[in-house]
Amino acid sequence: MVNGGNVAMEPFGALPEAQRQQMREIGPRWNDDIVGNRKIVIDCYTPVVAAAPKSPRVTRDLPYGTNARQVLDVFSPVRNAGDSPDAFHDAVIFVHGGAFVRGSKSVNGEIYDNVCHWFARQGVVAVNVEYRLADVAPWPGGTDDVADAVLWVHEHAREWGIDPQRIFLIGHSAGGTHAASSLFDPAHARGDDMRRIIAGLVLISARLFADTDPRNPNAGPVRTYFGPDESTYTERSPLTHATRSVLPTMIAVAEYENRFLDDYGAEFFLRLLRHRGAPPRFVQARGHNHTSIVAHFNSGEDWLGREMLAFMASIPDRG
C-alpha cells in the first residue's frame, strides 16, 4: 500500500519513499539534464526489479543477422497448472531506445530485461531485440534490423510457443522510431510483410519526427542517424506516413518527456484518428518520465502494462 493506495496503480509505488520523492522532483526538470536524470531513474529501479520474480527461462543472444548487435533474447512465459504443454502464446517484441547512438537490450542486466520479465509473467512470450547503432548503420539501418528481428521471430514462432498470428511490436524512444518506420514508411521494402506479421503496434515515448531543433537535447544523435541532409527528415519520419496503415496502434507518453516526444505522440494519435475515423489507444503515464515509463515494469506497479495487455486483448484473431 502507498499512501492508502494500490502499488499497482500509484506512480513509483514500488519505490521507497525517499526515491519516490526523488522521482517526483526530477520530473518537472527532466530536460535540464536528461543523462543525469536517466541515471537516477536506473539507479532507483535496478535493485527493485532485480529482486522481482522473473521469467523461468531466458535464452540469450540468438542471432537474427551477422553483426554482433543483431541478436535477441527470448523470455519464456510462466505456465499455469492447467496450461497445455503445446499451447501457443501471444508474443511481444520489445525494441529499446538510446537516441540512435547508444543503448542495449539489457542496460545493466536488469533494465529493459524487466519489461520482458513482466510480460513473460503474464503468460506472454517476450523477445528483447538489440540492433545496430547509427555509427555503423545510419538510416534506415535500425528499421532494417527491427524488420529482420520480426521476420526471425515469425519464422521461428512455433519453436518458441508463439502464435504466429499474435505477435505485437513495442518500441521505446528510438526503438519506437524503428518500429514505426518498419510498418509505416513506404520506403521500407518489407513493410507489407511486416504488416502481415504484426498484430498490433505499441509506441512508448517514441521519436516519431526527426528534428534538430536547438531545444531538442538529442538533436546531434538525430542528425547522426538520419544524415546530414535535413531536407530528407520529414520524408524519413514515421509521423509523415501515419495514415498509410490501419494497423491497430497504441501510443503511450510520459508526463515528463524528452522535449517534443509527447507532442509527436499526440500528433501521431490525431493523424490516425482523422484517417481512421476512430481513435487509437492513447495513454499518458502520470508522474513518469521518459526513462521510468519503461524502467518501472516488473516493479509491482503495472498500470501501463495492464493497459498494453488490454490493447492486445482488444485485437481480434486474424485467423
Side-chain angles (χ1 to χ4, degrees):
M1 301 292 286
V2 178
N3 297 328
N6 188 332
V7 168
M9 299 296 292
E10 186 70 16
F12 315 120
L15 297 177
E17 176 56 37
Q19 293 178 323
R20 290 203 298 274
Q21 183 59 33
Q22 197 172 20
M23 292 295 99
R24 298 186 196 107
E25 290 174 355
I26 66 174
R29 50 185 177 83
W30 178 256
N31 282 283
D32 295 346
D33 181 9
I34 287 176
V35 174
N37 289 332
R38 177 180 180 274
K39 183 179 184 304
I40 291 171
V41 174
I42 290 173
D43 288 347
C44 285
Y45 271 104
T46 294
V48 176
V49 299
K54 304 289 177 67
S55 164
R57 181 165 63 100
V58 182
T59 306
R60 297 197 181 272
D61 295 325
L62 296 165
Y64 65 85
T66 58
N67 186 275
R69 287 187 62 94
Q70 291 173 316
V71 291
L72 53 80
D73 302 336
V74 179
F75 293 65
S76 297
V78 173
R79 290 188 178 273
N80 297 316
D83 287 349
S84 167
D86 57 355
F88 290 100
H89 301 262
D90 285 7
V92 296
I93 300 174
F94 179 75
V95 188
H96 67 82
F100 307 107
V101 298
R102 55 184 175 269
S104 64
K105 58 184 167 60
S106 184
V107 172
N108 56 7
E110 299 296 342
I111 301 302
Y112 297 144
D113 278 2
N114 63 308
V115 177
C116 292
H117 280 305
W118 186 85
F119 275 102
R121 291 179 58 212
Q122 316 313 310
V124 177
V125 179
V127 179
N128 200 1
V129 174
E130 193 148 284
Y131 54 88
R132 294 170 298 164
L133 300 178
D135 58 338
V136 171
W139 185 92
T143 296
D144 289 339
D145 283 4
V146 168
D148 285 343
V150 167
L151 294 170
W152 186 97
V153 171
H154 187 256
E155 179 180 350
H156 296 273
R158 296 196 178 275
E159 299 170 31
W160 294 98
I162 295 170
D163 181 343
Q165 300 298 316
R166 302 284 299 172
I167 299 173
F168 297 85
L169 183 59
I170 304 170
H172 173 242
S173 195
T177 309
H178 301 323
S181 291
S182 72
L183 289 158
F184 288 88
D185 191 340
H188 189 241
R190 287 171 293 175
D192 288 343
D193 291 335
M194 292 285 290
R195 287 186 290 274
R196 282 192 289 268
I197 292 171
I198 295 299
L201 171 67
V202 180
L203 300 171
I204 305 175
S205 302
R207 179 165 294 284
L208 298 170
F209 188 79
D211 76 80
T212 53
D213 187 300
R215 296 169 295 170
N216 172 8
N218 285 318
V222 167
R223 186 177 291 107
T224 300
Y225 180 68
F226 285 94
D229 184 1
E230 295 186 20
S231 69
T232 65
Y233 286 7
T234 297
E235 187 59 27
R236 292 179 175 184
S237 295
L239 184 60
T240 302
H241 309 293
T243 61
R244 291 195 69 254
S245 173
V246 295
L247 183 78
T249 302
M250 174 177 172
I251 301 159
V253 297
E255 183 173 356
Y256 302 108
E257 274 295 354
N258 286 9
R259 192 167 284 116
F260 307 131
L261 297 193
D262 44 3
D263 188 345
Y264 300 148
E267 180 60 27
F268 204 81
F269 165 84
L270 287 173
R271 294 191 186 189
L272 293 182
L273 168 62
R274 292 163 182 161
H275 173 61
R276 300 176 181 184
R281 194 73 60 96
F282 184 94
V283 298
Q284 183 195 57
R286 177 173 58 89
H288 279 286
N289 56 60
H290 182 74
T291 299
S292 69
I293 196 171
V294 289
H296 80 276
F297 272 78
N298 212 37
S299 70
E301 177 194 345
D302 64 3
W303 175 83
L304 178 58
R306 295 294 169 191
E307 288 289 320
M308 292 165 67
L309 289 177
F311 164 73
M312 293 163 58
S314 73
I315 299 172
D317 292 345
R318 294 179 293 177

